[in-house]
Amino acid sequence: MTLGKNFRLPTDVKPIRYSAHLAPDLKAGIFEGRMELEVQLEKPRREIYLHAVGLEISRARARGAAKATAKLDAESETVTLEFEQDLPRGRLVLDIAWSGKFSPGLRGLYRAGPVAVTQFEAADARRVFPCFDEPAFKARWSIQLVGLPEGVKAIGNGPIIKDEKEPDGGRTVQFAETPPLSSYLIALCIGDLASSPPQKIRGGYEVRTWAVPQKQQLTAFGQEVACAVLPLLEDYFGQPYAYGKVDQVGVPDFEAGAMENAGCITYREVALLLDPKTAPLNVQKRVAEVITHELSHQWFGNLVTMVWWDDLWLNEAFATWMAYKIVDQWRPHWRVWMDFEVGKASALHLDALKSSHPIRAEVKNAEEAGESFDAITYEKGGAILRMIEGYLGEEKFREGIRLYMRKHREANATADDLWGALAESSGQPILELANGWIRQTGYPLVTVEDHAGKIVLKQQRFFADPSAQPEATKWLVPVVLRLSGGRELRVMLRSAEETVDTAERYEWVLGNVGARGFYRTAYDPELLRKMASALPQLRPEERMALVSDQWALVRAGVAKVDGFMHLLAGLREEEDHVVLDEVVGRLSFLEHRAIADQDRAPFQSWVRNLFAGVGADLSWEPRAGEDDERKLRRAAVLRALALVARDPEVIAAAGLRYQKLLAHPQAVDPNLLDVVVAVAARTADARRFEELKQRAATELDPAAKRRYLHALAMVEHPELVPRSVELALDDFVQMQDFASYLGTLLSNRATREAAWKLIQSRWDAVRKKGDSPMILRRLVEALGALPDRRHLEEVESFLAAHPIEAAKQATAQTLERLRMDVALRERLMPELHEWLARS
Ligand SMILES: [Zn+2]
């Protein structure tokens, strides 16, 4: 009998407590384990199923009962313990021994430099422990590490309650038993690590932040963030932190951004460690946001856990939203909700594809669960929660969350349990509203028209593809309008078209106040014209949404590009750096993908003229006492001038800053480092290439290291191209950076052909190096940077000939996006040519 890939464990057997001993051999990369596993049988049965993959089971029996034979099944990743007679109903202790190997990819138990570390989500605990590896099976875990060498640090989910030398010379470390946890939240880190000094939160549990010893001095910022936000989270949830201590560990090679293991949170180094003296503000904000995201999960996800992976969004959407909310409370002047808009924009972009998926989608197995970690789950989910919070009000929403926490603490829950709690606390019928957004793919385009002083609102599903057929999908859209006089109107748009009588004259009307709604807005031409001349009266997030929506309408073939260029030009003196970043981002896309080669120079000189005045005013050197906003605005404008317009004077000035930077790491404002190093890379010769490589090898600060590493993929000198491309497969580029390094090569006009050739001709090596589902997905997505129809055809046939099972969704989305971008390029090139001739 084969169980098949979609096999789910029967629910009449439940784990209660794992008492496990694990003996890892750090040098040989193998381990042995044994455990007593207490289970509850709801009815008598003869066989018990556990998950296991790559493990050899040497002993399996039930205490007081007969021995079992263990049968491994590769497809379902299970081991079946078959007993000679029925096991009785009730409590039972299984006694199991096994051995296994460290995993080659970045999951299971694997080696990352001097550290052995685990990564179990979604379903890789089974590579280390035979276990009930589905989130619904929460149990207590008591883990003992045996045979550890002297001197290595060992971190687990619970505090260490015993650390002793054994008579045979080995060392035993025992972690305190955990509260009930799903297997994907179990973690171990063993190796050469050093921490910040511990700090106590509210006189109770301790927080530590860890790194490999030479990066210990980079832990202070992450420690500060954790200690600041933990009390805020406890207050929000109305529940104390549950896991006895918090360890945050910077792991030298890591697949995702971070992982919220209970009490033992693991991070990619760049998401945790930084030097505040040289870190740009955006890096500091990102680190604070990731830390707060993971700490939010200690409640939302760890204390209350989804029943199955179809509600993964509930974990991730909530943590995404909560991180911004709490960081905003901690550092209001950072205005992180503006950064949230950037993430939301990528979700709106993805969700306009036909191959998008609903936030809550059917998930048949753990591999499909892996595919769900995308912008729909995180950013769209977070934006929907924000929209619902806006609709219910902050207080009622928080009461609902607290109620949900109280009811389901240490247990599992579904999305409907959350809606139930929110409905109970608010007295509002939230289910219909929420389900429309959670279960339907996509989102509406809300059209705002003026019909002789009355506002007509229409909704239809928005597609990025101009050839997509309209769909009758309907949402309950909480629309908030603002009239030019300042009055706000709330409308629950229920049908395809509704008329709003404002009883007030207006010049213009804004269709999405505060950009809180997860939809795009289009205006009739007259309203749009009036809005464009009223830009300073809009809030920054509203201006950003206007740019983002108008660009989406150009892509969708609804609006013409010259109107869009007019809008961008009107924002040249934009005071808000996030809006300016959006403008520069669009210009960069156009320069890269929509301008014919012979039009590049005129386009660049147009961009130069647009920003020359602002650039001269801001200059390169910060004034004494200058605020962050001005520094970041300078960074955006210089990026436009140096990297999009390729202004020779600005490039020369950037080159000088690079020389200064070599002499002294603090010689340049940290916010300008990205531009300065990118310019240095584009103008690099062989000597500078070595210099950048040397920097990438020796920088301790992970963001600096990453900056120099990616600079190596930005070179333009023809002689450097083969070296830059070959480096991708060299051990110099770590597995965690492999997809982003290749992505940078594919986005670089000078290197993209060679990089694409490398991927095709050395596919086996590429696949082996990217042997991790998440990295393969990112690799597929990186192919979307190729611009021409010829590329599209080659990518289509290549991915058809080399299908990637773990990236089916990413493949469909990348191909759809690529088809549209290629068609967009062909459509925009002549339009922009004409526009340049006129302007
Ligand atoms: Zn998360």
Side-chain angles (χ1 to χ4, degrees):
M1 185 188 77
T2 145
L3 300 167
K5 199 170 168 173
N6 299 337
F7 176 73
R8 299 268 300 269
L9 300 182
T11 53
D12 61 311
V13 187
K14 290 192 173 68
I16 304 297
R17 174 179 284 103
Y18 297 85
S19 301
H21 297 240
L22 195 73
D25 182 332
L26 305 177
K27 286 208 182 86
I30 52 175
F31 55 85
E32 284 186 13
R34 62 191 161 82
M35 70 177 168
E36 288 164 5
L37 167 53
E38 196 179 333
V39 294
Q40 171 77 29
L41 270 60
E42 298 300 331
K43 62 177 195 218
R45 38 162 67 241
R46 191 162 288 195
E47 74 288 324
I48 289 181
Y49 302 97
L50 297 169
H51 284 108
V53 59
L55 302 179
E56 205 160 304
I57 310 287
S58 53
R59 187 178 69 223
R61 62 180 176 226
R63 196 180 292 164
K67 271 172 53 175
T69 46
K71 282 194 184 150
L72 286 154
D73 178 53
E75 203 186 5
S76 62
E77 303 188 338
T78 56
V79 56
T80 310
L81 308 182
E82 286 177 358
F83 293 85
E84 283 155 13
Q85 71 232 17
D86 273 359
L87 299 169
R89 188 173 171 275
R91 289 281 166 105
L92 192 75
V93 175
L94 302 173
D95 179 2
I96 305 171
W98 70 95
S99 60
K101 289 186 189 130
F102 285 33
S103 303
L106 304 177
R107 54 188 179 150
L109 176 61
Y110 70 95
R111 246 189 295 227
V115 191
V117 61
T118 57
Q119 167 59 39
F120 287 169
E121 193 179 23
D124 291 309
R126 59 189 71 173
R127 293 175 192 274
V128 183
F129 300 100
C131 60
F132 292 78
D133 202 9
E134 291 176 14
F137 295 102
K138 291 177 101 164
R140 295 178 188 275
W141 289 72
S142 165
I143 296 180
Q144 192 171 71
L145 293 171
V146 296
L148 291 184
E150 274 305 304
V152 300
K153 295 287 186 295
I155 306 167
N157 299 98
I160 292 174
I161 52 171
K162 187 174 98 177
D163 186 344
E164 281 173 2
K165 216 165 168 173
E166 297 299 319
D168 63 3
R171 199 175 128 217
T172 297
V173 172
Q174 168 80 51
F175 301 107
E177 184 176 280
T178 68
L181 283 175
S182 307
S183 51
Y184 79 93
L185 293 167
I186 300 305
L188 295 163
C189 301
I190 310 154
D192 207 3
L193 290 161
S195 83
S196 60
Q199 220 169 314
K200 273 199 170 160
I201 303 293
R202 290 175 167 166
Y205 57 98
E206 285 189 340
V207 178
R208 281 183 181 80
T209 301
W210 299 81
V212 293
Q214 66 270 35
K215 297 180 188 171
Q216 185 181 8
Q217 77 277 13
L218 303 176
T219 55
F221 181 78
Q223 176 78 0
E224 184 194 351
V225 175
C227 294
V229 303
L230 277 160
L232 301 178
L233 288 164
E234 290 188 328
D235 291 346
Y236 188 90
F237 289 113
Q239 297 271 347
Y241 175 75
Y243 302 105
K245 55 90 183 171
V246 175
D247 285 306
Q248 313 191 88
V249 189
V251 178
D253 207 1
F254 197 78
E255 186 182 37
M259 177 62 211
E260 70 264 24
N261 313 301
C264 176
I265 307 168
T266 44
Y267 296 81
R268 197 177 258 243
E269 287 181 331
V270 75
L272 178 69
L273 309 174
L274 61 79
D275 178 353
K277 287 193 295 297
T278 55
L281 191 60
N282 64 353
V283 172
Q284 300 189 35
K285 285 157 108 179
R286 169 81 183 139
V287 166
E289 184 252 311
V290 175
I291 290 173
T292 311
H293 177 115
E294 304 311 323
L295 290 171
S296 307
H297 275 313
Q298 304 303 314
W299 286 263
F300 213 103
N302 298 7
L303 199 57
V304 181
T305 311
M306 71 237 152
V307 173
W308 177 243
W309 298 109
D310 52 3
D311 270 328
L312 171 73
W313 74 271
L314 200 57
N315 266 9
E316 297 306 346
F318 193 88
T320 301
W321 168 81
M322 191 70 178
Y324 286 94
K325 192 166 180 78
I326 295 292
V327 174
D328 187 50
Q329 204 179 328
W330 178 49
R331 290 268 156 101
H333 64 281
W334 275 3
R335 301 188 311 128
V336 290
W337 283 115
M338 282 301 287
D339 301 318
F340 180 82
E341 291 301 320
V342 177
K344 195 177 95 186
S346 73
L348 284 164
H349 189 48
L350 177 60
D351 206 23
L353 299 179
K354 283 181 272 186
S355 54
S356 185
H357 61 88
I359 291 180
R360 189 184 196 281
E362 191 195 4
V363 172
K364 292 200 279 296
N365 54 53
E367 190 173 82
E368 286 186 5
E371 286 231 51
S372 309
F373 290 84
D374 66 5
I376 301 295
T377 301
Y378 285 71
E379 276 81 14
K380 181 180 178 185
I384 301 305
L385 290 178
R386 188 164 192 236
M387 191 163 75
I388 293 174
E389 187 207 24
Y391 175 70
L392 294 181
E394 213 170 338
E395 299 279 312
K396 295 270 186 272
F397 190 83
R398 192 184 57 210
E399 274 172 42
I401 298 296
R402 287 179 174 175
L403 179 63
Y404 172 81
M405 283 289 144
R406 278 200 303 277
K407 269 190 178 170
H408 305 285
R409 199 192 138 82
E410 298 196 344
N412 294 83
T414 64
D416 284 352
D417 294 324
L418 177 67
W419 308 139
L422 289 171
E424 196 178 325
S425 72
S426 67
Q428 299 263 16
I430 191 74
L431 196 67
E432 188 194 2
L433 172 73
N435 275 335
W437 291 91
I438 302 307
R439 292 173 191 267
Q440 293 188 103
T441 307
Y443 57 85
L445 172 68
V446 174
T447 309
V448 184
E449 293 170 4
D450 171 61
H451 288 202
K454 284 187 181 150
I455 298 169
V456 175
L457 298 176
K458 296 176 182 166
Q459 65 157 312
Q460 68 180 89
R461 182 172 168 194
F462 179 72
F463 286 109
D465 184 352
S467 66
Q469 294 299 313
E471 251 183 41
T473 333
K474 272 207 295 283
W475 285 265
L476 279 179
V477 194
V479 175
V480 186
L481 305 168
R482 188 167 73 243
L483 306 180
S484 44
R487 189 159 70 97
E488 290 188 0
L489 295 174
R490 290 171 185 274
V491 181
M492 184 61 82
L493 182 57
R494 293 176 177 275
S495 50
E497 182 173 332
E498 271 172 49
T499 302
V500 184
D501 195 346
T502 62
E504 177 183 327
R505 285 172 61 89
Y506 53 85
E507 190 63 18
W508 48 265
V509 51
L510 180 76
N512 189 1
V513 171
R516 283 291 189 103
F518 192 81
Y519 55 85
R520 293 215 183 271
T521 316
Y523 298 92
D524 72 44
E526 190 53 22
L527 278 180
L528 182 63
R529 201 185 54 76
K530 288 177 179 163
M531 186 88 71
S533 50
L535 286 175
Q537 296 174 54
L538 304 186
R539 298 177 207 156
E541 61 272 29
E542 295 166 350
R543 288 197 293 277
M544 186 159 149
L546 188 64
V547 174
S548 169
D549 288 351
Q550 285 302 308
W551 172 238
L553 293 170
V554 170
R555 291 178 70 103
V558 178
K560 287 280 188 195
V561 78
D562 48 3
F564 180 67
M565 299 309 289
H566 182 70
L567 178 66
L568 291 188
L571 287 163
R572 80 178 78 189
E573 289 180 20
E574 171 64 43
E575 293 278 312
D576 190 285
H577 81 275
V578 188
V579 183
L580 204 53
D581 274 334
E582 176 78 15
V583 171
V584 177
R586 292 310 124 225
L587 291 172
S588 170
F589 181 95
L590 290 170
E591 190 268 342
H592 187 69
R593 298 196 68 128
I595 291 286
D597 285 340
Q598 72 273 17
D599 289 333
R600 183 153 288 117
F603 183 80
Q604 287 172 335
S605 86
W606 184 83
V607 175
R608 198 178 307 149
N609 288 336
L610 194 61
F611 290 116
V614 191
D617 179 39
L618 289 165
S619 86
W620 273 87
E621 302 302 332
R623 285 190 226 146
E626 194 178 84
D627 63 0
D628 288 339
E629 193 53 46
R630 191 174 155 90
K631 288 184 185 137
L632 294 167
R633 210 158 77 233
R634 172 183 299 111
V637 169
L638 291 178
R639 190 153 54 87
L641 288 169
L643 303 181
V644 184
R646 295 193 180 231
D647 182 321
E649 275 174 42
V650 175
I651 289 174
L656 281 176
R657 264 74 195 177
Y658 174 72
Q659 296 303 334
K660 281 191 180 178
L661 180 65
L662 290 182
H664 194 293
Q666 275 154 266
V668 176
D669 173 40
N671 302 298
L672 299 178
L673 290 172
D674 284 342
V675 180
V676 167
V677 174
V679 167
R682 282 182 172 187
T683 52
D685 56 10
R687 194 188 52 81
R688 176 155 325 143
F689 187 82
E690 284 310 315
E691 202 170 81
L692 293 167
K693 201 172 159 194
Q694 183 62 21
R695 289 260 158 170
T698 53
E699 278 288 351
L700 288 179
D701 181 87
K705 188 186 183 70
R706 190 182 151 88
R707 185 179 304 119
Y708 286 110
L709 178 71
H710 286 94
L712 294 167
M714 294 176 191
V715 296
E716 297 187 341
H717 195 297
E719 277 173 25
L720 296 177
V721 167
R723 285 167 72 183
S724 163
V725 171
E726 283 294 321
L727 202 60
L729 286 172
D730 192 284
D731 284 345
F732 189 82
V733 176
Q734 277 180 276
M735 189 165 171
Q736 66 172 13
D737 302 314
F738 183 49
S740 61
Y741 186 84
L742 275 175
T744 309
L745 289 171
L746 290 165
S747 312
N748 174 355
R749 273 197 290 279
T751 51
R752 72 181 167 220
E753 296 302 331
W756 173 220
K757 208 168 183 180
L758 175 102
I759 292 170
Q760 296 173 88
S761 60
R762 312 260 306 269
W763 179 241
D764 286 347
V766 168
R767 222 187 135 150
K768 184 153 176 264
K769 179 153 183 174
D771 185 22
S772 135
M774 200 179 278
I775 299 208
L776 284 173
R777 284 197 292 277
R778 296 215 186 103
L779 193 66
V780 169
E781 286 161 7
L783 295 174
L786 292 166
D788 292 325
R789 185 161 294 280
R790 168 180 62 84
H791 294 125
L792 164 65
E793 285 159 7
E794 288 170 6
V795 171
E796 274 177 332
S797 61
F798 185 77
L799 290 176
H802 306 87
I804 302 168
E805 190 62 20
K808 276 187 283 195
Q809 195 167 285
T811 301
Q813 288 166 356
T814 300
L815 288 176
E816 186 185 347
R817 197 179 283 187
L818 200 49
R819 272 176 217 125
M820 269 183 313
D821 282 345
V822 166
L824 179 72
R825 174 178 167 80
E826 290 165 354
R827 201 170 75 231
L828 288 194
M829 275 198 298
E831 278 189 38
L832 284 166
H833 177 80
E834 271 180 43
W835 169 79
L836 280 167
R838 282 197 313 270
S839 32

